[in-house]
Amino acid sequence: MKTLSEIQQQHGDLQKGIEHPRLGNILGFFEEVGELAKEVMEIETYGQPKRANIGKECADVLFSLLSICDSYGVSLSDEYSAKVKEIEGMIPEWKVKYGKTLEELRKKLD
Ligand SMILES: [Mg+2]
């Protein structure tokens, strides 16, 4: 399995010579998020069975997010690791504050 750094490197190598402008990258990201939202809507709103496309759309979102990261020189691996560290400190409080409510909502909505 590749690390996130390796995935970002592979993405950068793949995009060499066909990099989009930064604005195109953010627009492409929102396009892909919209396509993922459509898949979720089919399942959650229209009662359709889970489809293989949801995984493909998740991959599209990651791909386009990596394009944004590359265009701004951001290491997603480093930023994600820092974010996880930040969130880890909040988890105990969130479990106490929101855990029961979220468990009930999952039973109701999922
Ligand atoms: Mg897509």
Side-chain angles (χ1 to χ4, degrees):
M1 178 183 283
K2 290 183 175 144
T3 65
L4 187 51
S5 289
E6 291 168 339
I7 289 170
Q8 186 166 359
Q9 181 64 50
Q10 180 187 42
H11 172 275
D13 292 344
L14 195 62
Q15 293 282 292
K16 274 196 176 44
I18 55 166
E19 297 92 343
H20 286 58
R22 290 186 298 269
L23 181 60
N25 287 333
I26 193 76
L27 292 174
F29 174 76
F30 284 114
E31 177 187 20
E32 296 303 343
V33 169
E35 290 174 2
L36 176 59
K38 182 179 185 314
E39 290 299 313
V40 171
M41 190 170 172
E42 288 290 329
I43 298 164
E44 303 299 341
T45 304
Y46 300 126
Q48 297 301 303
K50 185 179 169 192
R51 305 183 312 182
N53 280 354
I54 198 161
K56 292 176 185 171
E57 296 304 341
C58 287
D60 284 351
V61 169
L62 177 59
F63 192 91
S64 58
L65 177 61
L66 289 170
S67 294
I68 296 170
C69 291
D70 286 350
S71 68
Y72 288 99
V74 169
S75 163
L76 187 57
S77 178
D78 290 349
E79 295 299 331
Y80 184 80
S81 295
K83 179 55 69 176
V84 167
K85 262 191 187 142
E86 180 187 324
I87 289 174
E88 279 174 343
M90 296 186 256
I91 294 294
E93 180 187 337
W94 288 352
K95 281 185 177 172
V96 171
K97 191 172 181 181
Y98 305 119
K100 185 71 177 160
T101 300
L102 290 172
E103 182 183 346
E104 289 170 10
L105 282 173
R106 284 192 306 271
K107 285 180 189 166
K108 184 177 172 185
L109 298 174
D110 289 349

mmCIF file of all heavy atoms in Angstrom, residues 46-63:
data_model
loop_
_atom_site.group_PDB
_atom_site.id
_atom_site.type_symbol
_atom_site.label_atom_id
_atom_site.label_comp_id
_atom_site.label_asym_id
_atom_site.label_seq_id
_atom_site.Cartn_x
_atom_site.Cartn_y
_atom_site.Cartn_z
ATOM 1 N N TYR A 46 -33.126 8.917 -2.858
ATOM 2 C CA TYR A 46 -33.973 8.156 -3.780
ATOM 3 C C TYR A 46 -33.983 6.666 -3.493
ATOM 4 O O TYR A 46 -34.589 5.893 -4.243
ATOM 5 C CB TYR A 46 -33.541 8.425 -5.228
ATOM 6 C CG TYR A 46 -33.648 9.888 -5.601
ATOM 7 C CD1 TYR A 46 -32.553 10.570 -6.115
ATOM 8 C CD2 TYR A 46 -34.838 10.588 -5.428
ATOM 9 C CE1 TYR A 46 -32.632 11.915 -6.447
ATOM 10 C CE2 TYR A 46 -34.930 11.927 -5.748
ATOM 11 C CZ TYR A 46 -33.829 12.588 -6.261
ATOM 12 O OH TYR A 46 -33.916 13.914 -6.577
ATOM 13 N N GLY A 47 -33.295 6.245 -2.422
ATOM 14 C CA GLY A 47 -33.372 4.855 -1.990
ATOM 15 C C GLY A 47 -32.719 3.857 -2.919
ATOM 16 O O GLY A 47 -33.024 2.660 -2.859
ATOM 17 N N GLN A 48 -31.801 4.311 -3.751
ATOM 18 C CA GLN A 48 -31.125 3.404 -4.660
ATOM 19 C C GLN A 48 -30.060 2.610 -3.909
ATOM 20 O O GLN A 48 -29.510 3.095 -2.919
ATOM 21 C CB GLN A 48 -30.469 4.183 -5.806
ATOM 22 C CG GLN A 48 -31.456 4.928 -6.680
ATOM 23 C CD GLN A 48 -32.470 3.995 -7.311
ATOM 24 O OE1 GLN A 48 -32.106 3.054 -8.007
ATOM 25 N NE2 GLN A 48 -33.749 4.229 -7.033
ATOM 26 N N PRO A 49 -29.760 1.389 -4.345
ATOM 27 C CA PRO A 49 -28.712 0.629 -3.670
ATOM 28 C C PRO A 49 -27.353 1.298 -3.872
ATOM 29 O O PRO A 49 -27.151 2.043 -4.834
ATOM 30 C CB PRO A 49 -28.748 -0.739 -4.368
ATOM 31 C CG PRO A 49 -29.474 -0.522 -5.639
ATOM 32 C CD PRO A 49 -30.349 0.676 -5.473
ATOM 33 N N LYS A 50 -26.441 1.020 -2.917
ATOM 34 C CA LYS A 50 -25.079 1.569 -3.025
ATOM 35 C C LYS A 50 -24.475 1.134 -4.342
ATOM 36 O O LYS A 50 -24.558 -0.028 -4.716
ATOM 37 C CB LYS A 50 -24.226 1.082 -1.858
ATOM 38 C CG LYS A 50 -22.853 1.693 -1.819
ATOM 39 C CD LYS A 50 -22.066 1.196 -0.619
ATOM 40 C CE LYS A 50 -20.610 1.611 -0.762
ATOM 41 N NZ LYS A 50 -19.765 0.932 0.206
ATOM 42 N N ARG A 51 -23.883 2.075 -5.030
ATOM 43 C CA ARG A 51 -23.336 1.786 -6.356
ATOM 44 C C ARG A 51 -21.827 1.903 -6.358
ATOM 45 O O ARG A 51 -21.254 2.618 -5.529
ATOM 46 C CB ARG A 51 -23.937 2.760 -7.377
ATOM 47 C CG ARG A 51 -25.445 2.714 -7.329
ATOM 48 C CD ARG A 51 -26.149 3.565 -8.305
ATOM 49 N NE ARG A 51 -25.718 4.942 -8.424
ATOM 50 C CZ ARG A 51 -26.296 5.785 -9.239
ATOM 51 N NH1 ARG A 51 -27.289 5.392 -9.991
ATOM 52 N NH2 ARG A 51 -25.881 7.026 -9.323
ATOM 53 N N ALA A 52 -21.227 1.215 -7.298
ATOM 54 C CA ALA A 52 -19.763 1.228 -7.395
ATOM 55 C C ALA A 52 -19.240 2.632 -7.641
ATOM 56 O O ALA A 52 -18.120 2.953 -7.276
ATOM 57 C CB ALA A 52 -19.302 0.303 -8.523
ATOM 58 N N ASN A 53 -20.070 3.468 -8.248
ATOM 59 C CA ASN A 53 -19.620 4.824 -8.585
ATOM 60 C C ASN A 53 -19.230 5.656 -7.377
ATOM 61 O O ASN A 53 -18.448 6.599 -7.504
ATOM 62 C CB ASN A 53 -20.697 5.570 -9.366
ATOM 63 C CG ASN A 53 -20.711 5.171 -10.820
ATOM 64 O OD1 ASN A 53 -19.858 4.424 -11.267
ATOM 65 N ND2 ASN A 53 -21.694 5.667 -11.539
ATOM 66 N N ILE A 54 -19.763 5.322 -6.208
ATOM 67 C CA ILE A 54 -19.445 6.150 -5.040
ATOM 68 C C ILE A 54 -17.943 6.072 -4.737
ATOM 69 O O ILE A 54 -17.325 7.075 -4.399
ATOM 70 C CB ILE A 54 -20.326 5.808 -3.819
ATOM 71 C CG1 ILE A 54 -20.263 6.954 -2.814
ATOM 72 C CG2 ILE A 54 -19.928 4.487 -3.192
ATOM 73 C CD1 ILE A 54 -21.410 6.954 -1.826
ATOM 74 N N GLY A 55 -17.367 4.908 -4.895
ATOM 75 C CA GLY A 55 -15.923 4.770 -4.691
ATOM 76 C C GLY A 55 -15.132 5.524 -5.739
ATOM 77 O O GLY A 55 -14.128 6.190 -5.430
ATOM 78 N N LYS A 56 -15.590 5.448 -6.978
ATOM 79 C CA LYS A 56 -14.909 6.176 -8.054
ATOM 80 C C LYS A 56 -14.979 7.680 -7.833
ATOM 81 O O LYS A 56 -14.006 8.398 -8.078
ATOM 82 C CB LYS A 56 -15.540 5.825 -9.404
ATOM 83 C CG LYS A 56 -15.284 4.394 -9.823
ATOM 84 C CD LYS A 56 -16.015 4.064 -11.105
ATOM 85 C CE LYS A 56 -15.825 2.590 -11.422
ATOM 86 N NZ LYS A 56 -16.677 2.140 -12.520
ATOM 87 N N GLU A 57 -16.116 8.140 -7.357
ATOM 88 C CA GLU A 57 -16.251 9.584 -7.109
ATOM 89 C C GLU A 57 -15.388 10.027 -5.928
ATOM 90 O O GLU A 57 -14.841 11.127 -5.940
ATOM 91 C CB GLU A 57 -17.721 9.970 -6.908
ATOM 92 C CG GLU A 57 -18.593 9.755 -8.140
ATOM 93 C CD GLU A 57 -18.097 10.486 -9.387
ATOM 94 O OE1 GLU A 57 -17.304 11.433 -9.294
ATOM 95 O OE2 GLU A 57 -18.509 10.068 -10.489
ATOM 96 N N CYS A 58 -15.264 9.171 -4.907
ATOM 97 C CA CYS A 58 -14.348 9.491 -3.796
ATOM 98 C C CYS A 58 -12.922 9.629 -4.330
ATOM 99 O O CYS A 58 -12.186 10.552 -3.940
ATOM 100 C CB CYS A 58 -14.394 8.407 -2.718
ATOM 101 S SG CYS A 58 -15.894 8.412 -1.724
ATOM 102 N N ALA A 59 -12.533 8.731 -5.220
ATOM 103 C CA ALA A 59 -11.190 8.793 -5.809
ATOM 104 C C ALA A 59 -11.033 10.062 -6.646
ATOM 105 O O ALA A 59 -9.975 10.710 -6.617
ATOM 106 C CB ALA A 59 -10.924 7.552 -6.653
ATOM 107 N N ASP A 60 -12.075 10.435 -7.376
ATOM 108 C CA ASP A 60 -12.029 11.679 -8.169
ATOM 109 C C ASP A 60 -11.829 12.890 -7.262
ATOM 110 O O ASP A 60 -11.084 13.822 -7.600
ATOM 111 C CB ASP A 60 -13.330 11.870 -8.964
ATOM 112 C CG ASP A 60 -13.416 10.966 -10.181
ATOM 113 O OD1 ASP A 60 -12.410 10.314 -10.517
ATOM 114 O OD2 ASP A 60 -14.509 10.916 -10.788
ATOM 115 N N VAL A 61 -12.517 12.893 -6.116
ATOM 116 C CA VAL A 61 -12.382 14.016 -5.171
ATOM 117 C C VAL A 61 -10.948 14.090 -4.663
ATOM 118 O O VAL A 61 -10.352 15.175 -4.622
ATOM 119 C CB VAL A 61 -13.386 13.883 -4.001
ATOM 120 C CG1 VAL A 61 -13.065 14.886 -2.892
ATOM 121 C CG2 VAL A 61 -14.813 14.083 -4.502
ATOM 122 N N LEU A 62 -10.369 12.934 -4.304
ATOM 123 C CA LEU A 62 -8.984 12.929 -3.828
ATOM 124 C C LEU A 62 -8.035 13.405 -4.928
ATOM 125 O O LEU A 62 -7.139 14.214 -4.683
ATOM 126 C CB LEU A 62 -8.576 11.537 -3.342
ATOM 127 C CG LEU A 62 -7.108 11.417 -2.894
ATOM 128 C CD1 LEU A 62 -6.798 12.389 -1.744
ATOM 129 C CD2 LEU A 62 -6.784 9.982 -2.491
ATOM 130 N N PHE A 63 -8.244 12.904 -6.141
ATOM 131 C CA PHE A 63 -7.380 13.290 -7.256
ATOM 132 C C PHE A 63 -7.402 14.811 -7.453
ATOM 133 O O PHE A 63 -6.358 15.455 -7.589
ATOM 134 C CB PHE A 63 -7.823 12.570 -8.536
ATOM 135 C CG PHE A 63 -6.832 12.678 -9.652
ATOM 136 C CD1 PHE A 63 -5.850 11.724 -9.826
ATOM 137 C CD2 PHE A 63 -6.875 13.748 -10.537
ATOM 138 C CE1 PHE A 63 -4.919 11.816 -10.861
ATOM 139 C CE2 PHE A 63 -5.962 13.856 -11.575
ATOM 140 C CZ PHE A 63 -4.985 12.887 -11.734
#
